[in-house]
PDB file of all heavy atoms in Angstrom:
ATOM      1  N   ASN L 150       0.544  22.734  28.106  1.00  0.00           N
ATOM      2  CA  ASN L 150      -0.297  23.210  27.021  1.00  0.00           C
ATOM      3  C   ASN L 150       0.624  23.833  25.969  1.00  0.00           C
ATOM      4  O   ASN L 150       1.562  24.581  26.240  1.00  0.00           O
ATOM      5  CB  ASN L 150      -1.221  24.292  27.503  1.00  0.00           C
ATOM      6  CG  ASN L 150      -2.421  23.688  28.276  1.00  0.00           C
ATOM      7  OD1 ASN L 150      -3.365  23.151  27.725  1.00  0.00           O
ATOM      8  ND2 ASN L 150      -2.320  23.771  29.611  1.00  0.00           N
ATOM      9  N   GLY L 151       0.319  23.492  24.692  1.00  0.00           N
ATOM     10  CA  GLY L 151       1.121  24.040  23.596  1.00  0.00           C
ATOM     11  C   GLY L 151       1.275  23.018  22.494  1.00  0.00           C
ATOM     12  O   GLY L 151       0.580  21.995  22.459  1.00  0.00           O
ATOM     13  N   ALA L 152       2.179  23.302  21.570  1.00  0.00           N
ATOM     14  CA  ALA L 152       2.335  22.446  20.364  1.00  0.00           C
ATOM     15  C   ALA L 152       3.788  22.339  20.031  1.00  0.00           C
ATOM     16  O   ALA L 152       4.566  23.302  20.118  1.00  0.00           O
ATOM     17  CB  ALA L 152       1.559  22.981  19.188  1.00  0.00           C
ATOM     18  N   LYS L 153       4.187  21.181  19.542  1.00  0.00           N
ATOM     19  CA  LYS L 153       5.517  20.884  19.037  1.00  0.00           C
ATOM     20  C   LYS L 153       5.412  20.461  17.586  1.00  0.00           C
ATOM     21  O   LYS L 153       4.328  19.951  17.141  1.00  0.00           O
ATOM     22  CB  LYS L 153       6.229  19.793  19.854  1.00  0.00           C
ATOM     23  CG  LYS L 153       6.438  20.159  21.339  1.00  0.00           C
ATOM     24  CD  LYS L 153       7.401  21.272  21.523  1.00  0.00           C
ATOM     25  CE  LYS L 153       7.652  21.536  22.982  1.00  0.00           C
ATOM     26  NZ  LYS L 153       8.645  22.605  23.174  1.00  0.00           N
ATOM     27  N   ALA L 154       6.510  20.613  16.829  1.00  0.00           N
ATOM     28  CA  ALA L 154       6.467  20.317  15.398  1.00  0.00           C
ATOM     29  C   ALA L 154       7.709  19.483  15.055  1.00  0.00           C
ATOM     30  O   ALA L 154       8.747  19.562  15.693  1.00  0.00           O
ATOM     31  CB  ALA L 154       6.434  21.597  14.600  1.00  0.00           C
ATOM     32  N   PHE L 155       7.576  18.698  13.959  1.00  0.00           N
ATOM     33  CA  PHE L 155       8.689  17.915  13.430  1.00  0.00           C
ATOM     34  C   PHE L 155       9.322  16.988  14.459  1.00  0.00           C
ATOM     35  O   PHE L 155      10.542  16.929  14.559  1.00  0.00           O
ATOM     36  CB  PHE L 155       9.759  18.806  12.843  1.00  0.00           C
ATOM     37  CG  PHE L 155       9.235  19.757  11.733  1.00  0.00           C
ATOM     38  CD1 PHE L 155       9.336  21.140  11.907  1.00  0.00           C
ATOM     39  CD2 PHE L 155       8.658  19.258  10.572  1.00  0.00           C
ATOM     40  CE1 PHE L 155       8.857  22.006  10.949  1.00  0.00           C
ATOM     41  CE2 PHE L 155       8.221  20.101   9.581  1.00  0.00           C
ATOM     42  CZ  PHE L 155       8.307  21.469   9.765  1.00  0.00           C
ATOM     43  N   ILE L 156       8.501  16.275  15.245  1.00  0.00           N
ATOM     44  CA  ILE L 156       9.056  15.463  16.293  1.00  0.00           C
ATOM     45  C   ILE L 156       9.244  14.027  15.772  1.00  0.00           C
ATOM     46  O   ILE L 156       8.311  13.327  15.417  1.00  0.00           O
ATOM     47  CB  ILE L 156       8.112  15.416  17.532  1.00  0.00           C
ATOM     48  CG1 ILE L 156       7.869  16.849  18.002  1.00  0.00           C
ATOM     49  CG2 ILE L 156       8.720  14.546  18.606  1.00  0.00           C
ATOM     50  CD1 ILE L 156       9.122  17.655  18.340  1.00  0.00           C
ATOM     51  N   SER L 157      10.505  13.598  15.734  1.00  0.00           N
ATOM     52  CA  SER L 157      10.846  12.276  15.231  1.00  0.00           C
ATOM     53  C   SER L 157      10.340  11.203  16.142  1.00  0.00           C
ATOM     54  O   SER L 157      10.567  11.234  17.380  1.00  0.00           O
ATOM     55  CB  SER L 157      12.394  12.132  15.085  1.00  0.00           C
ATOM     56  OG  SER L 157      12.840  13.006  14.064  1.00  0.00           O
ATOM     57  N   GLY L 158       9.659  10.211  15.601  1.00  0.00           N
ATOM     58  CA  GLY L 158       9.147   9.094  16.356  1.00  0.00           C
ATOM     59  C   GLY L 158       7.825   9.388  17.055  1.00  0.00           C
ATOM     60  O   GLY L 158       7.234   8.440  17.628  1.00  0.00           O
ATOM     61  N   ALA L 159       7.330  10.604  17.018  1.00  0.00           N
ATOM     62  CA  ALA L 159       6.122  10.966  17.732  1.00  0.00           C
ATOM     63  C   ALA L 159       4.960  10.069  17.263  1.00  0.00           C
ATOM     64  O   ALA L 159       4.717   9.893  16.078  1.00  0.00           O
ATOM     65  CB  ALA L 159       5.755  12.430  17.491  1.00  0.00           C
ATOM     66  N   GLY L 160       4.239   9.526  18.251  1.00  0.00           N
ATOM     67  CA  GLY L 160       3.132   8.608  17.903  1.00  0.00           C
ATOM     68  C   GLY L 160       3.572   7.135  17.904  1.00  0.00           C
ATOM     69  O   GLY L 160       2.716   6.270  17.914  1.00  0.00           O
ATOM     70  N   ASP L 161       4.846   6.921  17.764  1.00  0.00           N
ATOM     71  CA  ASP L 161       5.384   5.539  17.740  1.00  0.00           C
ATOM     72  C   ASP L 161       6.287   5.250  18.963  1.00  0.00           C
ATOM     73  O   ASP L 161       6.600   4.089  19.231  1.00  0.00           O
ATOM     74  CB  ASP L 161       6.213   5.309  16.463  1.00  0.00           C
ATOM     75  CG  ASP L 161       5.311   5.237  15.235  1.00  0.00           C
ATOM     76  OD1 ASP L 161       4.256   4.568  15.327  1.00  0.00           O
ATOM     77  OD2 ASP L 161       5.671   5.844  14.212  1.00  0.00           O
ATOM     78  N   THR L 162       6.724   6.310  19.677  1.00  0.00           N
ATOM     79  CA  THR L 162       7.595   6.079  20.805  1.00  0.00           C
ATOM     80  C   THR L 162       6.808   6.038  22.091  1.00  0.00           C
ATOM     81  O   THR L 162       5.638   6.346  22.090  1.00  0.00           O
ATOM     82  CB  THR L 162       8.712   7.182  20.834  1.00  0.00           C
ATOM     83  OG1 THR L 162       8.084   8.492  20.802  1.00  0.00           O
ATOM     84  CG2 THR L 162       9.649   7.047  19.724  1.00  0.00           C
ATOM     85  N   ASP L 163       7.487   5.706  23.195  1.00  0.00           N
ATOM     86  CA  ASP L 163       6.784   5.474  24.470  1.00  0.00           C
ATOM     87  C   ASP L 163       6.883   6.643  25.410  1.00  0.00           C
ATOM     88  O   ASP L 163       6.058   6.724  26.337  1.00  0.00           O
ATOM     89  CB  ASP L 163       7.360   4.206  25.119  1.00  0.00           C
ATOM     90  CG  ASP L 163       7.298   3.012  24.178  1.00  0.00           C
ATOM     91  OD1 ASP L 163       6.182   2.471  23.969  1.00  0.00           O
ATOM     92  OD2 ASP L 163       8.362   2.631  23.621  1.00  0.00           O
ATOM     93  N   VAL L 164       7.885   7.455  25.274  1.00  0.00           N
ATOM     94  CA  VAL L 164       8.097   8.559  26.206  1.00  0.00           C
ATOM     95  C   VAL L 164       8.781   9.731  25.430  1.00  0.00           C
ATOM     96  O   VAL L 164       9.422   9.475  24.434  1.00  0.00           O
ATOM     97  CB  VAL L 164       8.952   8.101  27.404  1.00  0.00           C
ATOM     98  CG1 VAL L 164      10.393   7.813  26.991  1.00  0.00           C
ATOM     99  CG2 VAL L 164       8.915   9.145  28.541  1.00  0.00           C
ATOM    100  N   MET L 165       8.609  10.935  25.924  1.00  0.00           N
ATOM    101  CA  MET L 165       9.173  12.099  25.294  1.00  0.00           C
ATOM    102  C   MET L 165       9.877  12.971  26.364  1.00  0.00           C
ATOM    103  O   MET L 165       9.370  13.101  27.445  1.00  0.00           O
ATOM    104  CB  MET L 165       8.091  12.912  24.596  1.00  0.00           C
ATOM    105  CG  MET L 165       7.349  12.193  23.514  1.00  0.00           C
ATOM    106  SD  MET L 165       6.027  13.183  22.745  1.00  0.00           S
ATOM    107  CE  MET L 165       4.819  13.139  24.054  1.00  0.00           C
ATOM    108  N   VAL L 166      10.983  13.516  25.936  1.00  0.00           N
ATOM    109  CA  VAL L 166      11.667  14.555  26.747  1.00  0.00           C
ATOM    110  C   VAL L 166      11.144  15.859  26.137  1.00  0.00           C
ATOM    111  O   VAL L 166      11.442  16.167  24.950  1.00  0.00           O
ATOM    112  CB  VAL L 166      13.177  14.474  26.679  1.00  0.00           C
ATOM    113  CG1 VAL L 166      13.842  15.731  27.335  1.00  0.00           C
ATOM    114  CG2 VAL L 166      13.642  13.214  27.370  1.00  0.00           C
ATOM    115  N   VAL L 167      10.395  16.650  26.923  1.00  0.00           N
ATOM    116  CA  VAL L 167       9.662  17.812  26.452  1.00  0.00           C
ATOM    117  C   VAL L 167      10.260  19.078  27.085  1.00  0.00           C
ATOM    118  O   VAL L 167      10.393  19.163  28.311  1.00  0.00           O
ATOM    119  CB  VAL L 167       8.167  17.747  26.729  1.00  0.00           C
ATOM    120  CG1 VAL L 167       7.455  18.983  26.216  1.00  0.00           C
ATOM    121  CG2 VAL L 167       7.583  16.492  26.088  1.00  0.00           C
ATOM    122  N   MET L 168      10.578  20.061  26.231  1.00  0.00           N
ATOM    123  CA  MET L 168      10.969  21.380  26.758  1.00  0.00           C
ATOM    124  C   MET L 168       9.759  22.282  26.763  1.00  0.00           C
ATOM    125  O   MET L 168       9.047  22.418  25.795  1.00  0.00           O
ATOM    126  CB  MET L 168      12.082  21.994  25.795  1.00  0.00           C
ATOM    127  CG  MET L 168      13.343  21.172  25.736  1.00  0.00           C
ATOM    128  SD  MET L 168      14.206  21.126  27.316  1.00  0.00           S
ATOM    129  CE  MET L 168      15.373  19.772  27.015  1.00  0.00           C
ATOM    130  N   ALA L 169       9.514  22.893  27.936  1.00  0.00           N
ATOM    131  CA  ALA L 169       8.348  23.769  28.105  1.00  0.00           C
ATOM    132  C   ALA L 169       8.733  24.900  29.080  1.00  0.00           C
ATOM    133  O   ALA L 169       9.617  24.827  29.870  1.00  0.00           O
ATOM    134  CB  ALA L 169       7.199  22.946  28.676  1.00  0.00           C
ATOM    135  N   ARG L 170       7.940  25.938  28.945  1.00  0.00           N
ATOM    136  CA  ARG L 170       8.197  27.151  29.764  1.00  0.00           C
ATOM    137  C   ARG L 170       7.466  27.099  31.047  1.00  0.00           C
ATOM    138  O   ARG L 170       6.232  26.952  31.158  1.00  0.00           O
ATOM    139  CB  ARG L 170       7.765  28.421  28.932  1.00  0.00           C
ATOM    140  CG  ARG L 170       8.139  29.741  29.564  1.00  0.00           C
ATOM    141  CD  ARG L 170       8.004  30.860  28.586  1.00  0.00           C
ATOM    142  NE  ARG L 170       8.856  30.700  27.429  1.00  0.00           N
ATOM    143  CZ  ARG L 170      10.179  30.883  27.407  1.00  0.00           C
ATOM    144  NH1 ARG L 170      10.793  31.269  28.513  1.00  0.00           N
ATOM    145  NH2 ARG L 170      10.844  30.718  26.291  1.00  0.00           N
ATOM    146  N   THR L 171       8.230  27.208  32.151  1.00  0.00           N
ATOM    147  CA  THR L 171       7.660  27.237  33.498  1.00  0.00           C
ATOM    148  C   THR L 171       7.731  28.649  34.069  1.00  0.00           C
ATOM    149  O   THR L 171       7.078  28.990  35.085  1.00  0.00           O
ATOM    150  CB  THR L 171       8.399  26.287  34.429  1.00  0.00           C
ATOM    151  OG1 THR L 171       9.804  26.533  34.376  1.00  0.00           O
ATOM    152  CG2 THR L 171       8.113  24.834  34.029  1.00  0.00           C
ATOM    153  N   GLY L 172       8.558  29.523  33.477  1.00  0.00           N
ATOM    154  CA  GLY L 172       8.773  30.881  33.999  1.00  0.00           C
ATOM    155  C   GLY L 172       8.493  31.907  32.933  1.00  0.00           C
ATOM    156  O   GLY L 172       7.703  31.674  31.984  1.00  0.00           O
ATOM    157  N   GLY L 173       9.165  33.052  33.056  1.00  0.00           N
ATOM    158  CA  GLY L 173       8.948  34.136  32.141  1.00  0.00           C
ATOM    159  C   GLY L 173       9.677  33.944  30.867  1.00  0.00           C
ATOM    160  O   GLY L 173      10.266  32.857  30.570  1.00  0.00           O
TER     161      GLY L 173
END
Side-chain angles (χ1 to χ4, degrees):
N150 286 281
K153 299 293 184 178
F155 303 119
I156 304 305
S157 292
D161 289 316
T162 52
D163 304 287
V164 68
M165 299 177 287
V166 173
V167 179
M168 298 295 165
R170 188 166 299 284
T171 52

